[in-house]
Structures are given as C-alpha cells and as structure tokens.
Amino acid sequence: MANVLVNAPKTAKRGAVVEIKALILHPMETGFRPGTMGKIIPRNIIERFTATWNDAEIFSMDMSPAISANPFVSFFAVAAESGTVRLRWTGDEGFVVEERVAIAVE
C-alpha cells in the first residue's frame, strides 16, 4: 500500500492557476532486481495516476518501471470553482489508493 503527502492550497482566487504536488511513498519495484537471497523481487509499480476536480479530470499520467521509488508528481490547474481534488493511483497487485483535498475558490 502506498502513502502520500499532498501539498495544495486551501483557498484560491477564481481563475488563478494553482499548483498541486504529491509525493507518493511507494517502492516501484521493476521485477528485475534480486533481493537479499538472490530471488527476484516481484514487480510492483504504480501504473496510472489521475487527478480530478469535482469529478472532471484535470491531470493524468501513465507510469512505467523506469519511474523511481517514491515518485513526486506536480501539476497545475485553474481554480474555476470550489470543490474537491481527488488524486487516485492504481498499480500492480490490484491496489487502488485515493486522497482528497478541498480547495475553496473565492
């Protein structure tokens, strides 16, 4: 399971561009690296990351084994209305993780 640190403004002026940052704590194992006993560590990566603002997609990316452990994602969005930004990532082993942050638009 992955943990995340999210940095997003709590408030923004209507029409302002805001930066949303997420540091996802995840090992991102490629499936090629041997462990301590010489056995290959199974692949375990985040495959897809998406962000929505009030259920409208504002950012998405596909990840690959080349992405480092604990990926840092940063993107910009226009603050059109107050609401919830939902960050969602899915990956190997069927995991799905979501984080939500509220942004009030003045």
Side-chain angles (χ1 to χ4, degrees), residues 26-42:
H26 189 276
M28 298 295 281
E29 286 294 344
T30 64
F32 298 113
R33 192 168 65 92
T36 56
M37 302 301 282
K39 186 176 179 184
I40 299 295
I41 298 170

Side-chain angles (χ1 to χ4, degrees), residues 20 50-53 56-60 75-78 85-87:
I20 300 166
T50 58
T52 59
W53 193 320
E57 189 173 284
I58 56 172
F59 179 81
S60 69
F75 58 94
F76 295 89
V78 175
V85 175
R86 182 182 68 169
L87 308 174

Side-chain angles (χ1 to χ4, degrees), residues 12-18 53-54 58 77-83 103-106:
K13 292 187 186 273
R14 187 171 309 280
V17 176
V18 297
W53 193 320
N54 291 339
I58 56 172
V78 175
E81 62 184 2
S82 295
I103 299 178
V105 175
E106 305 167 338

Side-chain angles (χ1 to χ4, degrees), residues 2-106:
N3 293 319
V4 65
L5 300 172
V6 177
N7 185 331
K10 293 187 186 305
T11 61
K13 292 187 186 273
R14 187 171 309 280
V17 176
V18 297
E19 184 175 19
I20 300 166
K21 302 174 192 176
L23 175 63
I24 304 168
L25 305 175
H26 189 276
M28 298 295 281
E29 286 294 344
T30 64
F32 298 113
R33 192 168 65 92
T36 56
M37 302 301 282
K39 186 176 179 184
I40 299 295
I41 298 170
R43 179 181 142 132
N44 180 10
I45 69 166
I46 297 169
E47 295 175 339
R48 181 125 177 101
F49 177 89
T50 58
T52 59
W53 193 320
N54 291 339
D55 296 324
E57 189 173 284
I58 56 172
F59 179 81
S60 69
M61 69 183 288
D62 293 323
M63 294 190 187
S64 70
I67 303 291
S68 70
N70 304 321
F72 175 75
V73 179
S74 176
F75 58 94
F76 295 89
V78 175
E81 62 184 2
S82 295
T84 302
V85 175
R86 182 182 68 169
L87 308 174
R88 182 176 198 261
W89 54 100
T90 58
D92 291 342
E93 301 178 8
F95 74 85
V96 176
V97 180
E98 285 189 6
E99 278 291 320
R100 297 171 189 260
V101 293
I103 299 178
V105 175
E106 305 167 338

